[in-house]
Amino acid sequence: MRNSPHPHFHQEVLKVAREKFTQEISFQSKDKDISLAKALLYVSAEDEAFMAFNREKDARSLQSERRDTSVKSNAQEYDSLEAMPLAGKSIREWLIELDTIAEEVKAELVSRDIGCHLVEVLEAVNLVLFKSRGFNRPPVLINPKNSYLHSVLSSGCGSGKASFCNSVLALHLTIVGSRVGEEFLIWPQSGNPEELFKVTSGHSLFGVVNGRCVDDPRSKASDLSSNSLSGLDIASNRDIIGIALANLIRLHWKRASRSTHGLMLTSPLRPVCDGNDKFSNIDGSNFPLVRPQDLRLAIMASERLLILQPHNWALRRDHGMMLYYSREYEAAVQELSICMAFAPEEEAGILEPFVEKLHLLRLESSWKSLGHKGPLRVP
């Protein structure tokens, strides 16, 4: 096929991107030395390589079906992960782009003949991001694409918080953040937090930075004030990467399962005796329909998050359940068995009968792979 990369290129990128991500977040490194931008761009590169690999497989299948025609592949050959383009730019070029945004903020401060007073810096950052560069926040984050750093920088659609953080950090101000309800909020560390909540032109700087959730009475973020800000648990760099990965798991799983209304990761764990629950009957012949590519992307995000949180039993349970939906029964049994060792006794009791049935599904799958027909009967 014309313009087609060698067969193992995408697999090599997948491997190297995961290795680079693992090195960046290594517990041997101090948290302050972790580059959020690099870690998130390695996530982008791995997922983009996976999707490119699937597109290439589709193109090859089409080529085999139409032997009388030449199918042009859109894939391109690159000699390394660093050279692979993400929305037209390499990882190094996206890092330079983030530095460029910071330089634009500095230029804005100089042009207005002002110093690095907190309020003025935040105003300059918001001017560059949301007016000059046209960043915007979608009311509801549904598309996983808007959760990848390179996509946000390329399209301007997404939270824009990573760009905001990098811009302010480049100006030698400390950015902190915390999970509040369903939101992750950020703000520059300040000895005078009242400045952040001072309303000007109908909005506070804290609200401009974090979006509409601050003014939404349904959000816990709307209850915050300068007094309560100091009581929040400040997220580390590893925490922030974990939040980004958890968001990818949620969004990819939502897309994977949207054709089966009401399906949750833990649906099959409901009591098997509940005959009214259509998802509680564990049977290889009555399997929920999920989209394989989105499911695999959710599994990949979960694998990365487990590197950060290996003892998180709930995360490992969800990871095992995704492997179950992917029909990787042996791997699912392994993950859920590990989960049972960390889980509270009540949760382990729920998992135990499910894992036992997974063993049977694994045996039945092996039975059929050997050419046998019909279900495997256990005396």
Side-chain angles (χ1 to χ4, degrees), residues 29-188:
S29 305
K30 294 181 179 179
D31 188 80
K32 66 180 180 63
D33 296 330
I34 294 175
S35 168
L36 290 176
K38 283 185 179 179
L40 295 177
L41 287 170
Y42 291 142
V43 170
S44 296
E46 184 179 351
D47 286 4
E48 285 289 335
F50 171 73
M51 290 185 284
F53 176 63
N54 280 351
R55 289 193 296 268
E56 187 69 11
K57 284 201 302 183
D58 290 343
R60 290 180 184 277
S61 297
L62 183 61
Q63 172 73 16
S64 64
E65 292 171 3
R66 302 179 180 179
R67 297 186 180 276
D68 57 332
T69 60
S70 176
V71 179
K72 185 176 180 180
S73 170
N74 291 325
Q76 301 175 45
E77 180 96 41
Y78 314 108
D79 58 5
S80 67
L81 166 69
E82 286 72 18
M84 176 185 175
L86 302 169
K89 294 183 179 181
S90 66
I91 289 177
R92 179 175 175 275
E93 288 170 332
W94 280 124
L95 293 173
I96 293 173
E97 179 73 7
L98 286 167
D99 290 337
T100 300
I101 294 175
E103 290 301 320
E104 291 175 6
V105 174
K106 290 181 181 179
E108 178 63 26
L109 291 171
V110 171
S111 68
R112 295 162 62 182
D113 194 26
I114 55 179
C116 282
H117 186 272
L118 177 62
V119 174
E120 295 168 337
V121 169
L122 294 183
E123 289 176 345
V125 170
N126 283 317
L127 180 66
V128 169
L129 289 181
F130 299 107
K131 291 188 178 180
S132 300
R133 286 184 167 255
F135 276 62
N136 66 86
R137 299 182 180 93
V140 180
L141 194 59
I142 298 176
N143 190 346
K145 181 179 179 181
N146 295 333
S147 292
Y148 290 102
L149 178 56
H150 75 286
S151 293
V152 173
L153 290 171
S154 174
S155 67
C157 186
S159 72
K161 289 182 181 178
S163 305
F164 179 92
C165 288
N166 191 80
S167 302
V168 179
L169 288 171
L171 298 169
H172 307 293
L173 294 176
T174 302
I175 287 288
V176 294
S178 180
R179 168 79 79 174
V180 178
E182 295 297 317
E183 305 289 342
F184 181 73
L185 307 177
I186 61 173
W187 64 94

Side-chain angles (χ1 to χ4, degrees), residues 56-353:
E56 187 69 11
K57 284 201 302 183
D58 290 343
R60 290 180 184 277
S61 297
L62 183 61
Q63 172 73 16
S64 64
E65 292 171 3
R66 302 179 180 179
R67 297 186 180 276
D68 57 332
T69 60
S70 176
V71 179
K72 185 176 180 180
S73 170
N74 291 325
Q76 301 175 45
E77 180 96 41
Y78 314 108
D79 58 5
S80 67
L81 166 69
E82 286 72 18
M84 176 185 175
L86 302 169
K89 294 183 179 181
S90 66
I91 289 177
R92 179 175 175 275
E93 288 170 332
W94 280 124
L95 293 173
I96 293 173
E97 179 73 7
L98 286 167
D99 290 337
T100 300
I101 294 175
E103 290 301 320
E104 291 175 6
V105 174
K106 290 181 181 179
E108 178 63 26
L109 291 171
V110 171
S111 68
R112 295 162 62 182
D113 194 26
I114 55 179
C116 282
H117 186 272
L118 177 62
V119 174
E120 295 168 337
V121 169
L122 294 183
E123 289 176 345
V125 170
N126 283 317
L127 180 66
V128 169
L129 289 181
F130 299 107
K131 291 188 178 180
S132 300
R133 286 184 167 255
F135 276 62
N136 66 86
R137 299 182 180 93
V140 180
L141 194 59
I142 298 176
N143 190 346
K145 181 179 179 181
N146 295 333
S147 292
Y148 290 102
L149 178 56
H150 75 286
S151 293
V152 173
L153 290 171
S154 174
S155 67
C157 186
S159 72
K161 289 182 181 178
S163 305
F164 179 92
C165 288
N166 191 80
S167 302
V168 179
L169 288 171
L171 298 169
H172 307 293
L173 294 176
T174 302
I175 287 288
V176 294
S178 180
R179 168 79 79 174
V180 178
E182 295 297 317
E183 305 289 342
F184 181 73
L185 307 177
I186 61 173
W187 64 94
Q189 200 169 44
S190 169
N192 185 19
E194 289 81 7
E195 286 183 316
L196 298 173
F197 290 87
K198 184 179 179 181
V199 176
T200 305
S201 301
H203 299 283
S204 67
L205 287 174
F206 189 80
V208 172
V209 169
N210 290 291
R212 301 175 185 176
C213 65
V214 173
D215 300 317
D216 187 347
R218 297 169 297 179
S219 170
K220 291 184 179 180
S222 63
D223 298 329
L224 289 176
S225 66
S226 58
N227 293 326
S228 59
L229 207 59
S230 60
L232 297 177
D233 294 327
I234 302 303
S236 65
N237 283 336
R238 289 186 177 88
D239 291 335
I240 294 171
I241 295 169
I243 291 169
L245 291 172
N247 195 46
L248 283 176
I249 294 171
R250 178 179 63 84
L251 292 173
H252 282 306
W253 168 252
K254 190 172 183 178
R255 285 173 65 91
S257 62
R258 67 182 179 183
S259 61
T260 309
H261 182 70
L263 181 65
M264 298 188 296
L265 279 174
T266 56
S267 291
L269 297 179
R270 297 168 186 169
V272 179
C273 60
D274 184 359
N276 296 322
D277 190 341
K278 63 180 179 180
F279 298 126
S280 65
N281 184 20
I282 306 170
D283 185 348
S285 64
N286 183 27
F287 212 83
L289 181 64
V290 293
R291 299 172 65 174
Q293 176 167 287
D294 292 300
L295 177 59
R296 178 51 53 183
L297 288 167
I299 291 173
M300 290 163 62
S302 181
E303 289 171 346
R304 300 185 201 102
L305 189 49
L306 279 170
I307 298 172
L308 279 169
Q309 303 173 14
H311 301 301
N312 185 332
W313 71 267
L315 172 62
R316 196 168 291 277
R317 176 201 62 197
D318 291 350
H319 184 66
M321 295 307 298
M322 285 189 282
L323 291 171
Y324 157 71
Y325 284 113
S326 185
R327 305 195 186 207
E328 299 173 54
Y329 300 131
E330 185 172 354
V333 166
Q334 179 178 336
E335 289 297 328
L336 292 175
S337 298
I338 295 172
C339 170
M340 289 169 61
F342 295 106
E345 185 176 351
E346 182 180 353
E347 296 292 340
I350 295 173
L351 284 169
E352 187 174 5

